[in-house]
Amino acid sequence: SGTSLESAISQVKTQHGGRVLSASTYTVNGKKQHHVKLLSTGRVKTYKIDALTGKQLNSNQRRPTDAYPNNRR
């Protein structure tokens, strides 16, 4: 059965706070992962959740300006 995308979103919001920008499910190396992109304290961070176990995998963090390099002032 595993963890639904909705459950992964709820888990990330509860643990980290912030605003969800997007959420999707991907298959990486044959395993399903939920990716939840969150804006919190001025940073965009993508949390990766194993769709089978519900455990958080690695994540990456960047400033919002890094997400849109053509919009720099």
Side-chain angles (χ1 to χ4, degrees), residues 2 15-16 20 27 44 47 60-61 68:
Q15 290 177 354
H16 304 283
V20 175
T27 301
V44 175
Y47 295 92
N60 62 42
Q61 178 175 311
Y68 306 100

Side-chain angles (χ1 to χ4, degrees), residues 57-68:
L57 306 168
N58 64 345
S59 58
N60 62 42
Q61 178 175 311
R62 60 188 180 200
R63 288 172 304 230
T65 53
D66 294 341
Y68 306 100

Side-chain angles (χ1 to χ4, degrees), residues 39-59:
L39 176 62
S40 178
T41 62
R43 294 199 177 263
V44 175
K45 194 164 185 179
T46 301
Y47 295 92
K48 298 176 184 178
I49 308 296
D50 185 305
L52 185 61
T53 66
K55 291 186 178 180
Q56 184 174 317
L57 306 168
N58 64 345
S59 58

Side-chain angles (χ1 to χ4, degrees), residues 24-42:
S24 301
T25 302
Y26 298 95
T27 301
V28 180
N29 296 328
K31 296 182 180 180
K32 286 193 175 185
Q33 294 180 2
H34 301 307
H35 293 193
V36 181
K37 189 181 291 186
L38 202 69
L39 176 62
S40 178
T41 62

